[in-house]
Amino acid sequence: MMTHKQRMLAAVRGEMPDHLPYAPRIDLWYNANSLNDTLPARHRGKSRTEIALSEGWALHTVVADHLHQPDPDAMLHRALGVHFMKEYVAHFVFSGRVIIDVRREGDRTRIRYTTAKGSITTRTVYSQEMRRSGTSVPWIEEHAVKSPDDLRVLAHLFENMDVTPHYEPFKTHQTAVGENGLPVTSFTVAAGPVHHIQKYFFDATDFFHYYRDHQPEILYLADALAPLYEKALRIVAESPAEVIQWGSNFDEMLTFPPMFAQHFVPWIRKAKDVLGPKNIRVLCHTDGENQGLLDLIRDSGTDVAEAVCPAPMTKVSLREYYRRWGDRITIFGGVPSNLLLPQLTPDDQFKSFMDQLFTGIGNGSRFIVGIADTTPPDADFERLVRIGDWVREKGRLPLAAGAFNPLDTEAAAEVLAKKPTAAPGPQDARFAKIRQAVLDGRERELIEQVRELLTQKIAPKDIIDLGMVAAMDTLNQSFKDGTVFIPEVLVSARAMNAAVLFLEPYLADTDKRRGGRILIGTVRGDLHDIGKNMVATLLRGVGFNVVDLGINVAADVFVRKVNEERPQVLALSALLTTTMPEMGKVISALSQAGARRAVKVIVGGAPVNQRFANDIAADGYARDAAEAIDLVRRLIG
């Protein structure tokens, strides 16, 4: 009988273990429930490791244990992507020529890094509210890059840094895990320098603007980081590690295909080339929407795709993942986290998904059962237990897989490919240059074209609707079709917003609210804003007036702002399952204040689905930014 580690290693190597490995990630769940004293009665007082082993599960040891590090400042420099984890076999070393000034103010840590080329500042926050939600990583509240000059300062800072081996703590960690799991090392969890820059130095939306407007400076900084990444790979190659996490949070919108192909794939291949001869496997944390990245990830050289999150949380079914990747990539995950939440997934749907899992993964080779991305704090723990029971009962390998039929997914893909796209309506030739300037994101040219049309006595409302909004509609459709990507959309939206601001003095009061007024925000307890920002930007781009309330917004603030702003639509965002109930609280608060009938409420975010939207009496649910535009238009009419 094989051990947990032997099974996982066999799966990673493409060999056939005796049984499907099962390694659910439970760190977020454990952190929250341990702190809140809500662990299941039979597990009170136990460690996370003790709980997993007592249930017969392999240990999930991909993500570093951020809360239990020998160095109390292990995450101090998170905003630079510099971590000092016991699980990491290669560590950054700061130059003595860099002056580091650390100031702690309650839950916030502000750091100034002073170099010969100038200074940059960062600020992170780690609050009690975050701890109670299970979060173990500080939130980057102030990113390092606020202007193009900061890119040069960062380049100088990293040009004067070094990377050194850090083997002994990892060996201790490896010994502690033993045969109960497969310890994974890391360096920064970025897939190379450009990914490092995107993950740590920028707000997500700002990065896309800089990637479009200041790409030479971005690449200059990437060149400064590259020698450190190359040295880290050489250090890992001589380490006792057997698997390294090289890149995380892959998603077709955030890590969009052209950028992924240009900057991610070469570094994943480089990691494979350096580490493969040493029998060290490369693992990528692919927890996002990967429909547009399937072929790129398959051909990148990665050995393991971890945290694979299939439909119904994303667009790609587990069967399709296995069909596309199963001959060369080990899939680790496969069970979406929302399946563990009864409020989102009824028991019959949960059981049906698990039945399909066993019939959709071929003979079961190259597969490790896990939760994508992690077990939520409010998960039904007994569902985790039931998955373990089913794996024990049905997981002897090779699986019969009698119901697996690749033709099924091919036929489904063909049907999706033939989904009709609405043909664009006739376009007024007077606005051709306006539309092209929007599509190209040329802000100055767009304003000049607007000024020219005004001299021709063209109505400002027509310039917006028949010129700019028509162009953004075309762009939005291309975005949905996957033929243009988020930087192009954002730069076009930015140009349009500048032109609308220029036109505002010429607009009648009724026209200033031309597309309807939208109020948007992330609910209380949730600091995530990437999805919200994308939705807000695209809504503005197609002509809506958007008021963004930001993150961590309390229910009473939403109510007050609804009364003040009088929006037609209120859009609520949440990424954490623990904050989803806040959406229901906002709707209840609107009802109690007598404001519910005056506004349509829509919800969105990775864990949210239509069933949840129905349960809290929301007016609609959108899975992504493109769907949000269609939904808002339907609701406003």
Side-chain angles (χ1 to χ4, degrees):
M1 182 175 174
M2 301 176 81
T3 65
H4 289 308
K5 180 177 181 179
Q6 289 169 340
R7 288 191 184 109
M8 295 176 78
L9 262 181
V12 166
R13 291 169 177 163
E15 302 163 0
M16 183 68 77
D18 62 342
H19 206 278
L20 275 176
Y22 176 46
R25 181 182 168 189
I26 60 171
D27 56 323
L28 191 74
W29 171 86
Y30 179 80
N31 294 342
N33 286 281
S34 178
L35 182 63
N36 297 320
D37 197 25
T38 51
L39 290 172
R42 66 182 183 275
H43 292 312
R44 298 273 171 85
K46 292 182 182 177
S47 68
R48 187 178 78 191
T49 295
E50 289 169 338
I51 292 174
L53 295 181
S54 67
E55 295 291 351
W57 309 334
L59 300 182
H60 185 285
T61 51
V62 174
V63 179
D65 185 356
H66 303 112
L67 294 182
H68 301 95
Q69 293 292 329
D71 184 347
D73 287 335
M75 297 292 287
L76 180 64
H77 303 286
R78 167 163 170 72
L80 293 186
V82 173
H83 307 135
F84 304 112
M85 302 292 169
K86 65 179 185 289
E87 295 90 347
Y88 292 8
V89 296
H91 281 194
F92 282 109
V93 178
F94 281 99
S95 165
R97 292 186 291 275
V98 176
I99 300 172
I100 302 174
D101 178 29
V102 179
R103 298 189 180 184
R104 291 182 169 91
E105 302 168 355
D107 296 331
R108 286 170 169 77
T109 301
R110 184 178 177 87
I111 305 180
R112 177 179 292 275
Y113 302 88
T114 302
T115 76
K117 299 289 186 180
S119 299
I120 56 166
T121 58
T122 67
R123 185 169 61 244
T124 57
V125 58
Y126 188 48
S127 65
Q128 185 65 13
E129 193 171 36
M130 294 170 66
R131 293 180 179 88
R132 290 196 174 279
S133 71
T135 301
S136 59
V137 178
W139 179 259
I140 302 175
E141 190 173 57
E142 178 187 336
H143 289 81
V145 176
K146 272 81 77 176
S147 76
D149 291 341
D150 293 330
L151 294 168
R152 294 280 177 175
V153 176
L154 281 167
H156 183 72
L157 188 154
F158 281 97
E159 283 168 347
N160 288 280
M161 291 183 78
D162 196 7
V163 179
T164 59
H166 201 248
Y167 296 153
E168 292 307 316
F170 180 79
K171 290 178 181 177
T172 302
H173 167 62
Q174 203 172 34
T175 300
V177 174
E179 291 298 309
N180 294 314
L182 182 57
V184 176
T185 192
S186 192
F187 175 51
T188 69
V189 304
V194 170
H195 193 205
H196 188 116
I197 294 166
Q198 180 188 30
K199 279 182 68 68
Y200 298 111
F201 300 160
F202 285 95
D203 163 84
T205 309
D206 286 344
F207 171 79
F208 294 121
H209 286 310
Y210 271 76
Y211 187 78
R212 167 74 181 243
D213 298 340
H214 302 286
Q215 193 163 120
E217 293 93 334
I218 291 283
L219 297 182
Y220 181 86
L221 175 53
D223 286 343
L225 279 160
L228 301 175
Y229 269 76
E230 289 168 348
K231 185 173 183 180
L233 282 175
R234 295 194 297 271
I235 290 171
V236 174
E238 302 305 320
S239 78
E242 294 165 289
V243 180
I244 182 172
Q245 181 183 353
W246 193 260
S248 63
N249 309 123
F250 294 172
D251 179 272
E252 67 176 2
M253 182 174 74
L254 298 178
T255 58
F256 60 98
M259 184 178 76
F260 194 94
Q262 184 177 357
H263 300 297
F264 288 50
V265 170
W267 275 97
I268 298 171
R269 287 179 179 161
K270 184 176 290 190
K272 175 74 170 180
D273 291 344
V274 173
L275 303 178
K278 298 289 187 175
N279 292 318
I280 299 173
R281 310 291 165 161
V282 176
L283 175 151
C284 295
H285 184 81
T286 58
D287 59 330
E289 175 61 73
N290 290 310
Q291 186 177 54
L293 300 174
L294 283 173
D295 291 344
L296 289 169
I297 294 172
R298 181 196 63 203
D299 298 333
S300 69
T302 187
D303 298 292
V304 185
E306 189 260 344
V308 170
C309 186
M313 278 188 76
T314 63
K315 299 172 186 174
V316 185
S317 70
L318 181 58
R319 180 170 294 190
E320 179 69 1
Y321 267 121
Y322 196 80
R323 185 182 75 85
R324 300 280 288 274
W325 289 357
D327 62 335
R328 65 177 76 177
I329 297 177
T330 298
I331 295 173
F332 186 168
V335 181
S337 60
N338 63 2
L339 265 71
L340 303 179
L341 301 167
Q343 65 268 38
L344 293 180
T345 308
D347 197 68
D348 60 333
Q349 292 180 17
F350 166 62
K351 186 177 184 306
S352 174
F353 180 92
M354 292 307 303
D355 288 341
Q356 292 174 35
L357 183 148
F358 289 102
T359 59
I361 58 172
N363 62 9
S365 65
R366 287 193 175 278
F367 197 86
I368 300 171
V369 182
I371 307 302
D373 160 51
T374 186
T375 301
D378 46 346
D380 179 357
F381 183 78
E382 297 311 315
R383 288 194 176 183
L384 277 179
V385 174
R386 289 167 67 189
I387 294 172
D389 292 341
W390 285 326
V391 169
R392 276 189 289 273
E393 293 168 12
K394 303 178 181 182
R396 183 161 296 281
L397 298 180
L399 299 177
F404 179 69
N405 180 3
L407 294 178
D408 292 345
T409 49
E410 289 172 355
E414 190 174 340
V415 170
L416 285 173
K418 293 180 178 178
K419 185 176 179 181
T421 299
Q427 295 186 325
D428 193 320
R430 293 175 299 169
F431 305 103
K433 291 182 178 180
I434 288 278
R435 289 192 293 269
Q436 194 58 53
V438 171
L439 293 174
D440 295 339
R442 297 196 301 268
E443 186 175 315
R444 290 182 182 177
E445 181 178 328
L446 176 59
I447 292 175
E448 286 304 311
Q449 291 297 328
V450 167
R451 185 181 283 114
E452 174 64 24
L453 290 180
L454 287 174
T455 65
Q456 298 175 26
K457 307 301 182 184
I458 304 293
K461 183 179 185 301
D462 289 344
I463 295 174
I464 292 174
D465 292 342
L466 302 179
M468 292 187 280
V469 172
M472 287 303 299
D473 280 340
T474 300
L475 196 66
N476 184 48
Q477 185 59 55
S478 298
F479 180 58
K480 288 193 284 186
D481 293 343
T483 54
V484 301
F485 303 98
I486 197 68
E488 289 88 350
V489 176
L490 291 178
V491 77
S492 293
R494 181 179 62 186
M496 177 179 167
N497 291 334
V500 170
L501 188 64
F502 172 80
L503 267 174
E504 195 154 299
Y506 302 91
L507 291 167
D509 288 341
T510 54
D511 292 337
K512 290 178 182 178
R513 298 168 63 92
R514 68 196 185 284
R517 197 166 187 81
I518 315 297
L519 196 64
I520 191 170
T522 302
V523 296
R524 183 181 179 185
D526 206 318
L527 303 179
H528 295 90
D529 62 356
I530 294 175
K532 171 189 67 67
N533 291 349
M534 298 303 176
V535 171
T537 298
L538 290 182
L539 285 170
R540 288 190 183 105
V542 295
F544 291 100
N545 292 276
V546 179
V547 178
D548 188 347
L549 300 182
I551 59 176
N552 195 26
V553 183
D556 62 326
V557 175
F558 278 117
V559 173
R560 175 165 52 83
K561 288 296 183 179
V562 164
N563 287 328
E564 290 175 0
E565 301 288 346
R566 302 292 181 186
Q568 285 97 329
V569 174
L570 170 63
L572 305 176
S573 175
L575 189 70
L576 303 174
T577 60
T578 49
T579 60
M580 286 167 54
E582 285 293 321
M583 293 177 164
K585 292 180 182 177
V586 172
I587 293 174
S588 296
L590 287 169
S591 298
Q592 292 171 9
R596 178 66 182 92
R597 291 186 179 181
V599 65
K600 301 290 187 182
V601 181
I602 66 172
V603 295
V608 181
N609 61 16
Q610 187 62 57
R611 182 173 186 266
F612 177 76
N614 295 341
D615 287 346
I616 63 172
D619 296 293
Y621 154 73
R623 182 164 56 180
D624 55 34
E627 284 188 10
I629 292 172
D630 294 338
L631 174 61
V632 168
R633 281 176 164 162
R634 287 199 306 272
L635 291 175
I636 290 181

